[in-house]
Structures are given as structure tokens and as C-alpha cells.
Amino acid sequence: MMDSYFWLLSLLDSMFRLATPLLLAALAGFFSERAGVVDIGLEGKMLMAAFAAAATAAFTGSAGLGLLAAIGASLVLALLHGFACITHRGNQVVSGVALNITAMGLTAVLGNAWFEMGGRTPNLPATARFGELTLPLAETLRGIPVLGSFYYEVISGHNILVYLAMALVPLTAWVAYRTRFGLRLRAVGENPAAVDTAGISVPALRYQAVLIAGLLCGIAGAYLSTAQGAGFQTNMTAGKGYLALAALILGKWKPVPTLLACLLFAAADALQTRLQGVVMPGLGEVPVQLIEALPYLLTVLLLAGFMGKAIPPKASGRPYVKER
Amino acid sequence: MSAGTGSDNLPWWATAVLLPVINVVLALIVSAIVILAIGEDPLGAMWTMVQGALGTSEGLGYTLYYATSLIFTALAVAVAFHGGLFNIGGEGQAYLGGLGVGLVCLAVGDMPWYLVLPLSVLGGAAFGGLWGAIPGYLQAYRGSHVVITTIMFNFIASSLMVYLMVNVLIRPGQMSPESAQFDKATFLPLVQDMAAAIGIQMNPSPLNFSLFLALAACVLVWAFIWHTRWGFALRTVGANENAARYAGIDPKKVIIIAMALSGALAGLLGVNEIHGVQHRLLLNFPAGMGFTGIAVALMGRNHPAGIVPAAILFGMLYQGGTELIFDYPSISRELVVVIQGVVILFAGALEHMFRPALVRLFTPKPAGV
Amino acid sequence: MHAVTVTPAPHSAPKPAHEWAVELVGIDKRFGPVHANKDVTLRFAPASIHGLVGENGAGKSTLMSILYGFYQADSGQILVRGREVAIKGSQDAIGLGIGMVHQHFMLVETFTVLENLLLGHEGGPLLAPAVARARKEVEALERTFGLEVPLDALVSDLPVGVQQRVEILKALYRGADVLILDEPTAVLSPPEVAQLFRILERLRAEGRTVVLITHKLKEIMAITDHVSVLRRGAVVAEFATAETNRQQLADAMVGRKANLEVEKAPAAAGPVLLAAEGVNVVDARGVTTLKNASLTVRAGEIVGVAGVAGNGQSELLEVLSGMLPFASGTLTIKGETLKAGSAYDPADARRRGLAHVPEDRLKLAVVKEFPAAQSAILGYHDDKPLGRGWRLDWKRVTAKTAELMERFDVRPRDPSLRTALFSGGNQQKLVMAREMEKEPDILLVGQPTRGVDIGAIAFIHKQLVGLRDRGKAILLVSAELDEIMALSDRILVMCDGEIVGELSAAEATESRIGSMMAGVSAGEEQ
């Protein structure tokens, strides 16, 4: 009994670790898409940021500087996305795809040239990474059955970015629904003409949203290479950006449901390694690939309306053109 | 991304030639900057690439072999595009198409290649087409956006293939997930052998009979889109779905057919890769060609006559890139991927940036006033 | 140009501090080759209602968009309360006390009324205090101007008339002293119009200035104090409303004696070619948009359908032409009866000899991006003579288009020119040519002269009467009552998705049709 409880605790523990980059990227997507700018480029921004963080941390030995570099790199891509989609009213999906492919190539080329390790960056020492924090009293309470061990194993012992990501969920909800900025953000994603005729600049608002998305993707990328991992590997995002997008859709473009979707995907990911070769009663051996594909299947089913309807912000994907 | 025509009247060659050339030049400038940042000589590197891609019959063969795959995936993007759809699922459709091709080739035993080819084309088109038609159906009847579903289908295809290769199709007693090899009789002829038969000496390369299939596909796609009633229906749906409904065209059917055709074309990549070169099923053979097809299609203005040169250009980049790393070890072949991304950015997302400037250049100043 | 001096109206409103609320002086604006406003000078008196009339494309909306900061004029001055101002965006206009109610409402449908009012006028970074303050202020405004609106309802749940009140309230809440309304009555039923006019009068009484853009002369006469007429971007006449009449305004609008009379002989109606019996259409939201529609159209007659836009006429046309499925009832086309659920689509309709000129030309009838020749075969691209088998033969298509262009005088006569580059009238003539080319037994026509110049209107009307005289059945839907009355042999009136009445051409008068459009049955007519 105790064994399976600890198995569950360790599962939950890895769920939070795996959910963090998804959540950060999904919240990035939240800001961008609620403002009416579709962001397929979460993947590319995260990848670029992961590389910038690892490279900077490798050169300077500082995880903090790495984080700053990650945010900077991601912001550059976000600005480019804004330039194409907001200033030049380009196709948002095409722009996102372009950024993803560019990031994939650029990180590999630069990584190879700078570190000559086949695209990887050197392994970062613990000092150049975000370390795990032991929360107050965690050691003391550890002995208490059930709750104490839950606190020690699941709540405590993550790095700062995990806590930041979790705290960003209520913060995002508050910003979106309780502030002037949030009101305008949601309005510009639904009906930009209403925002324009209210005397508010549509491009300025959308640029702000896109830059917030850049900031959050930057943190997500830094998490991958300098907190969860200890260095950059070629294409290390491996579809997490798309998965985050799927979580955002599954969460119907709302912060808390998006968090739940991220946790679900992360739990599936955590289970995957644990279920390898496990025979389920009645089902036989569950193919690992099925669990791997589960988030994508769920998203397709949801989008097809088999699990309730996901209605995107009305103006998303459409460049704003003043009409006569 | 309206159906390729802007609201201005540029001379056709400005749209067809000048804009793509500007895009390529910009992409090359960006990559030159990247090469400079690495500390290498961009001009030297580019010369090496051109030499590597065109300088030898082997290089040329490789270039055209890459171009063959790209023609298929770019035509796939173009057909969907004319129906108003952005298919970024070429990678997954090509993957599944390859599976179809492989299953056919495994099943036919020692049938001669010219009898197998129609079957493997059918197999690739059917599997790829199905993988495109499902997102098409979901878009048409369930309103789920084809961009998102095709992305998801790429991942699902990948998981499915890993499962099949590892658990079902793997050749018994082997560690790496590969199927048994096809019978030698089924192998598509290589172009070097065909050339040798008429007395032309070529160094070995994977360029095979699929090249001719790709060129035939170009002609068929061109005729289909611009010279058939179905093509007219497809373009009408792409340009104005309401007008299509008014005209008695069922947009839902057209969307499914467009995505099926698109997927089928992408699936033909499998003929080149699996039937023509690898001669067995394995993992990851599309190798990003499905995504590169987007860049090729955008640069080729979604027209076969533009897609062929664009595919050859990207074929050169792939092949030249491989040569490049021998002479310039600090440059990796992913430079091609950067160029690809930049081309998509300039030719796709920023298509509106240069056009107005060109329009100003070509619009005669109004007399008087 | 008429030189008519305008004096502020003799109203009892408090004497304003300035002679003019807003002055537009020498406003000039071009969009590429289109000269939208030519040296326009207009002055709006405080505490008055000023009408701005003109045909579609006369430049009314552009002018007001300049005043609201949506566009900048190429030259000219704007003076507000006597002071020259620069209006670079809506923000500036709002700051100067100028508000605008657009034809298409600028509301966020997923927001509540209150959130819509707040947008851009939050007064601080947090919403909670703003909401409390706004609620109080808005309630005061509601009382002052008699504008009742449920503040916590979602906009998407409100009927159009109430949404319009939200728009007016929004402008007032943002401090509008001058309120511009762009074609506000287009979407309203007559009782809603009456209600709107009471609100406008209240605004005037409170000292606000109202600018009313419309092309309905009746409304100008009913409510304005002054009226300016725009034609082809220029002001061609100005009047004090009390000193003018509809004929004079109409003449000024079109630039010559407007003659909507169509010469036609009495109808020689033959057998019924098109009939509908109890047809219901239910939309995706489950709302019945066409209720129990029954009608007949005989050979050799034109049946007109009158009604305020959005009262089921569009659905009627779409269901008859096969574009919309119907939930119950039957259609009978040339004696063949179709039940709900039977296979019937536009292609099928054309095969049965039913042609359709749709209401929204650019949205449905042509593809802007295509060359004219390709728009000219839309819906007929499966015709055998246009190709061989699967193929389309562009030589034949081009020849066919040239023939259509010749017959309907489409200019320029260039089948390879992009459809978007033709004027509205020429696009419409191309569509009419395409649909009438096969001498269809039944022709459905929606808004045949919307956005069409005067010359082309007469031509189109003549073609329709000609088709009728050749023994074909025509169903005509139009928002222009004059057009309905000039062309129809019988008139059906629609209101709220229902056909509420039928009048013969002889018994039809504007007031009778008008009260039926408003849903007032014959018995309770005022």
C-alpha cells in the first residue's frame, strides 16, 4: 500500500516538473491568442530560448544570465512574429511555421559552431542551473504519514521556475479578467474594430500581447535547458510548443482549464516511462506510443466537437484592416 | 493568403520571377550573416555549396533526388492552398504514404518493378491521402481547423509508425526497427543505370525513376487546377467559399477531396524514398521534407512551373550543405533549415512587405494632377 | 452647387456658446484613383439634427470617418466649437466630444453591456472601481435620455435595436457632444425606428448635436433640422428641412430628375412555375428564420418581396435557390414537388431552369480575384459546351464571356480583367447576363440595383421587365420600396421571418406596405 502511495507521489512530482514548460508556453499562447494573434511559433521561441539559456549559462556560469538571454532571444522572435503579422498583416500560421523552422536550424548551426558537440551545449554544472528549493519545514514534516510526505515529495523540492509557472496561472487569470489591460486584450481578440473605435491602438495592444508571449516562452525555454535539463540538445523542445497549443485549445483559451490540460498531458508523459512493459489487467500491454500520442488524439477529438466545442477568440488569425 | 493574386496589377513576371528572386536573395543574405557570425567566409561557403550541388554528376544526382521528394511535398501544399487550406501535415502524410508504399512492395514479392510501380503509387497515394482526408473531413464537417489537426496528425503518424516498426513490421531477429528488404526485382531503376544504357556515364547517386513520376505529377496538377471543372471548383472554394456554395459546389466535398489529393501527393514521397532508395521500411525517412515542401511551394508561388525550380534550388541547398561540412567543419547542414525558415518568412508571412514597393515601382505616375 | 445659407434652427434648447458645434472646411480625400470627398464644407449647428443624404458611394461615410479620426483628410480643416483641431485617431475625436454609431456595431459580443461601455474609458488600471463608477454614471445617462439597456446582459443576447442603444449609450458615456449615426435605421423595424427618433429628439433637447447619415428621404423629412446632400464626393445642396421636400432632395441626390417609373404593360400571368408551401428554415442556433412561408410565382409576372433587411428575405431567396435546406414544408418547381430533406442544391436548381441573382454580389455572385471570364461561368462551369469532358476550354469560356458582355453592355469589355476591377454596376450586369443567358423559367433576384449607378439601374429594370414579358416567373427581393413598387405585379411583405401579407400592384401604397413591414396587421393600422 505504502509502496503504491510513494509511486503515486513520485508520479505527481514528475507531473509538475513536466507540466511547467507546457504551462509557461500555454500561458504565452493564451496572451497572444486572446489578443487575436495565432501563435504556432511557441515551439520555435522555446527552442531558441532553451539554446540561448544553455549557451549563456555555459559561457558565464550563471543561470540567471541564461534566463535573461533566453527571454531576449524569445522576444526577438516574438517581435519578428509581430512585425510579420501585425505590421505587415501576414499570415499568422505561416509566420509561426517560419519561426519554428528558423529556430530549429539556427540553434543547431550555432550550437555546432560554438561548442562542436554535434549541436549540444556542454553539460552545465549545478551552479549554472536553477537548483531545487526545499520549502520551509519540508524536512521536519517529512516523517508525518501521507500529508507530510506529500508536502515533501510533491510540493517541495522543485526549482523556482516551477513555482513561478504555477503562480502565473492565478496571475494570468487576474490580469485577464480584473484589469484594464485584460479587458482590452480580450476585446481585441474578439472585435478589434470595437477597440479601434474606442480610441485604443490595435497594433500596440497586439504587440504587447505578443511580447508577453515572448517573455513566457523565454522562461519556458530556460526551464528546459537550465532547470529540468543540464544543457541544450538539438530540437530539445520536441513538440512541446505544439502540445502547449493543444493544452490551450483543450482548456478553451481559459487559464485554469489550460492548467488542468497541461497537468493531464504531463501526467500522461510521466506515466509513459512508468508503464513501459506494464501489463494492464484486461487490456494487455498498453503501447507506449499510444500514451505518447494521447494528447494529440485528445486535441483532435476536442476540436472535432466530440468533447464539447472549443470556440477560439473570434478575431484570431485575422489581421486587422480598417474598413470603410 | 488569398488565392495567390493580389489586388494590384503587377506584370506577371514581377510576381512570378522578381518576387521569388528577391526572397531568395534575402534568404541568402541572412544565411551569409549566420555564416559570418560563425566566423567563416560566406562567399567561399556558397561557392562550395554550388560546386557540391552541381559540379559533379553525383552531386547533380543527389540534388535532383532531393528535388524529387520536394516536388511531391510542395505540390501537396499547393493543391491544398488553392482550395484555401494550409496543409502543414505533409510530413505525416509522407510518412504514412511511405508505409503504404512499403506494404505494397513487401507484399508483391518478386514482381518486376514496372508492374509494382503503379501499385506502390496507389499504395502511397491511398495511405497519404487518407492521412490528409481525415483532417479534411474534420475541417469540413466538424469545423476543426486543418492547421491544428494536421500538426496533431504529424505527431500521431510518428507514434503510429514507431509502434508499427517496433512491434509489427520489424524483421525478426533484428535490433534496429527496419522491415525486411524488398525483392531486388521491385527496385526502381536508378537514373545512372538508365543513363548508362544510352551511353552516358554518371557517378552513383540515389536519383531514380521517381523523378519522372514527380515531373508527371507537376503536369497533372497543373492541368487539374487550371484546366478542369474540378480545378475550377477547387479554386472557387479557395477564393470564396460562399460563392462556391452559390455556384452549386459543395465546399465540404471539395475540402475533403483537396486534402485527400494533397495527402496523396505528399504520400508519393514514399515512392522516391522507400521504393526508389531505401528498399525497406524504416523510421524517420521523410526527414523534414514535408516541412520543406511549404517553403518550396511558397517560393514557387504554388504553381508547378515555380515549384520545379524552387525544389531544385532547395535540392541544391540540401546537397550543397552536405558537401559544405567537409570543407567547413564548423558549418552544419542545418544551415539549410535556417534558409528554409527564412524563405517561408519572406515569401509567406512577409509577402505583403515587398509587394507594395514593387507595385509603386511598376505603377506609372498619373499624368497631370 | 446650390448656394443655400443655413441658419441654426429655431429650437428652444439652451443657447449654445458657439455658433457651430462642428465645422468641416474644404475637406478633400482620395483613395488611389477614387476621389471620395471633393472640397467638402459642412457646418453642424449645436442642439440640432443634421441630415446627410446621398446615394451609396456619394462619400457620406468617408466624410464622417474623417471627422471620427478613422481616416485623415488630404486637405481641409476641422473646427470643433470654433477651434481648429487635428483629429489623428478615434482617441482625438472622442476627446473632442465626437461620438459615432457605426452601421456595423462596434461591440464585443462576448462582453456584457457594461464591459462594452467601459472599453477605452476605464479610468484606471483596475476594473473593479471602474465598474462601480460606470454603473452609477450610466444609470444617470439612461434616465436623462430614456435609453433603457440591461447593463449586465451579454451583448450577443440582445436584439439589434437594443444593441444600437448600447452604441448610443457608449458614445454618450464617453462624453459625446456630437453624435454621428451611420445608416442607423437599416436594421430596424418601423417601431424601432420611431423609438430611435424619440431618443434623437431627446438628445437634441439636451443640447447635443446629431448627424444622421441616411439615404432614406422620409427619415430626413421626419426628424432633421437641416440637410446636406452629397453627390460623387461633393456637397451639391443644403437646405433647412422645413423649406424643402422629398422630390427636391431626390433630384439633388441623383443630379437630374429622378425617374423610377418603369414602363411596362399589365402582366399576363400564366401557370404557377414556383410555389412554396409552409416552408420553415431553422438556423444553426435553432432559431426559425423563415416561418411557414407560402407563395406562388406565375409565368409572366414579377412578385416583389418587401421588408426591412433581415426579416427572412435572404433566407427565402436561399431556400428557393437550394442554398439552404428547409426543415419542413414543400417547394414546387415547374410542377415537381420537393419535400424537406430531398436532394436540392443550387446546381440542381439551375438544371431545373431556376436562376438566381443573389443579394450580396461580392460575397456570393462573383469571385473578386478571378478574371471576369471565370466569374462569368460561376455556377455554369459544368456546362457541356464550355469544354470537353472534365476539361474547361478557356477559349470557349472567353468567347462566351465576350458575348455576354456585349449583350449586357458590360464595360470595359475585357474578359481577362480581374472581376474586382469592374464597377459595381458592371459587375451586376455581368451577373445578370450570366443568370439570364439561358432564358431561365424562374429568376430569383435580390437587390438588383444595390450599389449600381443610375444609368445601369434603368437598364437592369428593363431587362427584368423584358424577361417577364417573355413569360418567365420572377421573384424580386429589394430593400428599396420604390423599386418593389415600380417593378412588381404583386407584392409580398415580410416581417420577422414571416410573409405577413400580399398586395396587388394596384392596392399597394407606401404606407400600407410600411405598416405591414412593421408587423401591424391591416385591422390595427393607424
Side-chain angles (χ1 to χ4, degrees):
Chain A
M1 194 61 224
M2 217 48 203
D3 262 4
S4 51
Y5 182 60
F6 276 101
W7 185 85
L8 182 69
L9 288 187
S10 98
L11 180 76
L12 290 176
D13 184 55
S14 13
M15 177 184 80
F16 279 109
R17 287 171 208 276
L18 293 167
T20 298
L22 291 182
L23 183 58
L24 287 165
L27 291 177
F30 173 86
F31 279 100
S32 186
E33 303 220 338
R34 285 308 287 256
V37 182
V38 167
D39 200 350
I40 301 276
L42 297 172
E43 176 88 2
K45 287 197 281 265
M46 253 204 290
L47 188 63
M48 202 70 190
F51 175 73
T56 310
F59 285 132
T60 65
S62 157
L65 286 178
L67 178 63
L68 284 182
I71 292 172
S74 176
L75 283 178
V76 169
L77 291 193
L79 269 178
L80 211 53
H81 190 50
F83 181 69
C85 303
I86 304 169
T87 306
H88 286 289
R89 300 181 192 130
N91 185 304
Q92 299 172 1
V93 175
V94 176
S95 170
V97 169
L99 293 186
N100 289 345
I101 293 180
T102 309
M104 205 194 297
L106 207 54
T107 50
V109 170
L110 293 180
N112 210 37
W114 290 346
F115 302 103
E116 294 173 1
M117 297 169 65
R120 283 189 301 118
T121 60
N123 257 339
L124 296 172
T127 51
R129 296 176 56 206
F130 287 94
E132 293 171 357
L133 304 176
T134 305
L135 293 189
L137 298 179
E139 287 291 351
T140 331
L141 298 174
R142 187 179 182 180
I144 301 173
V146 186
L147 283 182
S149 44
F150 182 81
Y151 182 68
Y152 179 81
E153 295 287 343
V154 180
I155 309 285
S156 174
H158 296 292
N159 64 67
I160 182 87
L161 298 181
V162 176
Y163 299 112
L164 175 70
M166 297 302 153
L168 275 171
V169 177
L171 182 67
T172 299
W174 181 77
V175 167
Y177 298 102
R178 297 272 182 271
T179 69
R180 171 173 68 190
F181 175 72
L183 184 78
R184 293 177 173 191
L185 182 87
R186 288 181 291 128
V188 83
E190 287 289 334
N191 186 356
V195 170
D196 194 7
T197 51
I200 308 161
S201 162
V202 172
L205 205 47
R206 288 194 164 166
Y207 263 106
Q208 286 170 35
V210 164
L211 287 177
I212 293 175
L215 171 79
L216 294 175
C217 282
I219 302 173
Y223 177 84
L224 287 178
S225 64
T226 61
Q228 190 182 30
F232 179 81
Q233 284 164 12
T234 311
N235 198 19
M236 84 179 301
T237 44
K240 288 199 174 59
Y242 297 118
L243 212 51
L245 202 62
L248 182 65
I249 296 167
L250 212 58
K252 300 184 178 177
W253 291 271
K254 294 189 179 98
V256 175
T258 298
L259 165 69
L260 297 178
C262 288
L263 291 176
L264 176 72
F265 290 175
D269 197 0
L271 265 177
Q272 200 180 303
T273 42
R274 289 170 170 77
L275 281 186
Q276 202 122 33
V278 174
V279 179
M280 297 287 258
L283 289 170
E285 192 176 323
V286 179
V288 182
Q289 291 81 17
L290 180 65
I291 300 168
E292 198 178 71
L294 199 63
Y296 308 113
L297 285 168
L298 282 177
T299 307
V300 169
L301 289 175
L302 176 88
L303 276 174
F306 294 118
M307 303 166 57
K309 199 85 187 121
I311 301 165
K314 209 192 257 168
S316 73
R318 276 194 304 224
Y320 177 58
V321 185
K322 281 186 182 191
E323 283 178 57
R324 292 168 83 176
Chain B
M1 213 163 55
S2 66
T5 44
S7 56
D8 43 63
N9 262 348
L10 278 182
W12 69 268
W13 56 268
T15 309
V17 181
L18 207 51
L19 272 175
V21 167
I22 291 173
N23 290 324
V24 175
V25 169
L26 273 167
L28 291 181
I29 290 174
V30 171
S31 27
I33 294 170
V34 173
I35 296 173
L36 271 178
I38 295 172
E40 296 283 0
D41 164 28
L43 286 178
M46 277 180 200
W47 180 241
T48 305
M49 285 181 84
V50 172
Q51 283 267 301
L54 303 177
T56 63
S57 61
E58 182 194 359
L60 186 64
Y62 268 96
T63 296
L64 293 176
Y65 149 69
Y66 290 124
T68 303
S69 284
L70 290 174
I71 288 174
F72 287 128
T73 54
L75 287 177
V77 173
V79 167
F81 176 89
H82 285 288
L85 301 157
F86 188 36
N87 176 14
I88 34 185
E91 190 78 4
Q93 292 145 14
Y95 215 168
L96 264 281
L99 174 65
V101 171
L103 292 178
V104 166
C105 291
L106 285 170
V108 292
D110 59 355
M111 213 188 259
W113 70 270
Y114 46 87
L115 293 181
V116 179
L117 182 62
L119 296 177
S120 80
V121 165
L122 224 58
F127 275 55
L130 181 71
W131 213 244
I134 299 171
Y137 167 82
L138 293 174
Q139 161 100 55
Y141 286 94
R142 313 292 311 193
S144 26
H145 204 293
V146 82
V147 165
I148 306 286
T149 41
T150 50
I151 291 177
M152 300 300 143
F153 267 61
N154 284 341
F155 287 107
I156 297 171
S158 169
S159 295
L160 181 64
M161 286 299 286
V162 172
Y163 174 76
L164 289 177
M165 291 312 303
V166 171
N167 298 297
V168 184
L169 292 167
I170 190 166
R171 194 175 62 163
Q174 187 179 261
M175 281 309 288
S176 66
E178 290 176 0
S179 75
Q181 202 181 46
F182 310 149
D183 192 284
K184 276 223 157 54
T186 64
F187 291 7
L188 288 183
L190 294 171
V191 168
Q192 75 220 25
D193 298 335
M194 297 161 73
I198 53 167
I200 301 171
Q201 208 52 49
M202 275 180 82
N203 290 333
S205 77
L207 182 64
N208 61 73
F209 191 80
S210 307
L211 173 68
F212 305 108
L213 188 66
L215 294 176
C218 282
V219 175
L220 286 176
V221 165
W222 170 77
F224 170 78
I225 293 179
W226 283 281
H227 292 275
T228 65
R229 303 177 197 266
W230 283 48
F232 181 79
L234 177 79
R235 287 185 297 121
T236 304
V237 170
N240 183 341
E241 210 175 300
N242 288 313
R245 255 180 354 103
Y246 160 77
I249 300 163
D250 184 353
K252 292 182 163 65
K253 266 190 212 147
V254 170
I255 286 171
I256 296 175
I257 291 171
M259 283 302 293
L261 274 178
S262 178
L265 284 163
L268 293 185
L269 176 142
V271 176
N272 188 31
E273 272 304 325
I274 299 298
H275 193 180
V277 180
Q278 302 291 350
H279 305 136
R280 64 204 139 96
L281 269 171
L282 68 175
L283 290 176
N284 297 325
F285 58 85
M289 290 283 175
F291 292 112
T292 314
I294 300 169
V296 173
L298 284 171
M299 206 169 103
R301 316 279 321 159
N302 291 293
H303 193 292
I307 283 173
V308 172
I312 293 175
L313 182 79
F314 271 96
M316 284 170 62
L317 290 174
Y318 268 90
Q319 168 55 17
T322 328
E323 292 295 314
L324 193 62
I325 49 178
F326 291 117
D327 289 7
Y328 295 84
S330 59
I331 302 178
S332 51
R333 58 174 306 186
E334 277 85 359
L335 188 62
V336 182
V337 182
V338 179
I339 295 176
Q340 193 180 314
V342 174
V343 164
I344 297 177
L345 187 70
F346 283 121
L350 284 170
E351 63 170 347
H352 302 309
M353 189 163 76
F354 301 109
R355 208 177 169 92
L358 274 187
V359 171
R360 271 196 297 281
L361 211 64
F362 281 101
T363 310
K365 299 206 169 49
V369 189
Chain C
M1 193 189 282
H2 301 235
V4 183
T5 45
V6 182
T7 47
H11 271 294
S12 54
K15 177 74 186 152
H18 301 277
E19 194 183 356
W20 302 108
V22 169
E23 296 167 75
L24 297 164
V25 183
I27 299 290
D28 215 88
K29 176 73 183 173
R30 283 171 187 276
F31 294 101
V34 181
H35 204 164
N37 288 144
K38 296 176 196 159
D39 190 23
V40 172
T41 298
L42 280 178
R43 295 187 167 86
F44 305 134
S48 76
I49 300 178
H50 193 116
L52 206 52
V53 290
E55 291 192 289
N56 287 321
K60 299 165 295 190
S61 294
T62 304
L63 188 64
M64 289 304 111
S65 294
I66 289 171
L67 179 55
Y68 193 61
F70 231 53
Y71 300 121
Q72 264 78 65
D74 299 335
S75 62
Q77 295 173 294
I78 301 175
L79 288 83
V80 175
R81 288 178 289 276
R83 199 164 51 84
E84 184 173 351
V85 294
I87 301 180
K88 296 215 171 61
S90 310
Q91 185 98 62
D92 295 337
I94 294 167
L96 289 164
I98 297 166
M100 182 151 178
V101 175
H102 295 82
Q103 197 174 352
H104 303 287
F105 299 152
M106 298 296 177
L107 297 171
V108 181
E109 297 210 325
T110 52
F111 280 12
T112 64
V113 170
L114 201 60
E115 284 176 317
N116 269 287
L117 295 174
L118 273 178
L119 188 65
H121 209 78
E122 301 88 348
L126 296 184
L127 286 185
V131 168
R133 197 179 52 243
R135 192 180 295 276
K136 236 193 248 157
E137 284 176 33
V138 171
E139 277 166 1
L141 281 174
E142 283 187 290
R143 278 192 301 277
T144 314
F145 295 102
L147 279 159
E148 250 105 82
V149 170
L151 290 183
D152 296 308
L154 283 183
V155 166
S156 54
D157 293 339
L158 298 176
V160 186
V162 182
Q163 290 190 11
Q164 189 174 59
R165 266 179 267 158
V166 175
E167 280 281 26
I168 296 175
L169 199 55
K170 191 167 83 175
L172 294 174
Y173 178 63
R174 290 169 187 171
D177 189 46
V178 177
L179 188 66
I180 307 161
L181 296 107
D182 190 359
E183 300 282 0
T185 59
V187 290
L188 301 184
S189 68
E192 284 175 320
V193 172
Q195 202 171 6
L196 172 69
F197 283 3
R198 278 200 296 278
I199 294 168
L200 297 187
E201 279 164 358
R202 192 82 165 262
L203 286 167
R204 174 172 62 190
E206 296 290 331
R208 314 274 167 126
T209 306
V210 176
V211 180
L212 180 67
I213 303 175
T214 181
H215 66 278
K216 296 183 184 163
L217 301 177
K218 191 165 56 181
E219 293 168 3
I220 291 289
M221 298 309 295
I223 187 148
T224 63
D225 302 307
H226 317 284
V227 53
S228 304
V229 184
L230 261 72
R231 188 171 76 233
R232 294 187 183 170
V235 178
V236 291
E238 293 190 272
F239 306 99
T241 309
E243 293 161 15
T244 184
N245 58 50
R246 290 179 61 178
Q247 188 62 47
Q248 197 178 16
L249 287 174
D251 292 347
M253 265 167 74
V254 299
R256 58 181 154 89
K257 284 279 178 215
N259 186 6
L260 276 173
E261 290 297 304
V262 180
E263 273 182 43
K264 62 177 172 86
V272 172
L273 292 184
L274 174 68
E277 188 61 50
V279 170
N280 284 291
V281 172
V282 181
D283 72 5
R285 294 169 303 164
V287 178
T288 306
T289 48
L290 186 65
K291 293 172 197 157
N292 200 25
S294 300
L295 60 84
T296 57
V297 188
R298 294 170 178 280
E301 70 169 350
I302 297 179
V303 175
V305 179
V308 178
N311 275 274
Q313 305 95 311
S314 306
E315 287 78 4
L316 181 67
L317 279 181
E318 294 202 355
V319 84
L320 293 175
S321 64
M323 292 181 68
L324 266 186
F326 48 105
S328 58
T330 59
L331 292 185
T332 307
I333 296 163
K334 297 202 285 183
E336 241 180 277
T337 300
L338 300 162
K339 288 197 194 65
S342 13
Y344 179 57
D345 65 25
D348 194 31
R350 287 190 182 89
R351 279 192 292 272
R352 292 168 186 269
L354 182 146
H356 176 201
V357 177
E359 293 182 292
D360 195 329
R361 183 166 54 239
L362 288 176
K363 203 173 141 203
L364 296 180
V366 296
V367 179
K368 281 187 291 187
E369 295 86 354
F370 282 0
Q374 299 194 20
S375 279
I377 59 165
L378 196 64
Y380 298 90
H381 56 280
D382 278 334
D383 277 8
K384 290 278 167 291
L386 293 178
R388 284 188 215 98
W390 297 3
R391 273 189 55 208
L392 271 175
D393 184 337
W394 292 117
K395 272 206 194 98
R396 295 188 200 177
V397 171
T398 308
K400 181 97 222 160
T401 309
E403 192 188 312
L404 293 178
M405 289 178 140
E406 186 69 36
R407 194 157 354 133
F408 272 70
D409 190 27
V410 179
R411 290 176 216 196
R413 275 198 187 67
D414 180 358
S416 66
L417 191 65
R418 207 131 31 81
T419 311
L421 299 177
F422 288 84
S423 73
N426 283 303
Q427 288 171 356
Q428 185 72 345
K429 283 195 278 186
L430 187 65
V431 173
M432 298 284 297
R434 178 185 73 204
E435 297 304 320
M436 287 171 64
E437 200 263 337
K438 299 209 147 166
E439 286 288 307
D441 293 315
I442 305 161
L443 181 68
L444 310 175
V445 195
Q447 318 295 353
T449 55
R450 179 181 279 171
V452 168
D453 48 290
I454 299 275
I457 290 178
F459 181 85
I460 288 168
H461 284 172
K462 222 174 104 191
Q463 295 298 324
L464 289 173
V465 172
L467 190 70
R468 178 200 77 152
D469 290 344
R470 294 197 295 278
K472 311 300 184 186
I474 299 176
L475 185 77
L476 165 74
V477 168
S478 173
E480 305 294 329
L481 212 44
D482 296 335
E483 183 168 72
I484 294 276
M485 291 175 55
L487 287 174
S488 310
D489 301 305
R490 276 190 297 136
I491 296 169
L492 305 174
V493 185
M494 292 196 71
C495 177
D496 200 17
E498 274 181 275
I499 297 174
V500 292
E502 179 178 336
L503 298 166
S504 68
E507 47 186 1
T509 62
E510 203 168 311
S511 70
R512 284 192 73 171
I513 299 177
S515 54
M516 286 164 83
M517 277 164 68
V520 183
S521 64
E524 46 185 314
E525 226 171 279
Q526 297 107 335

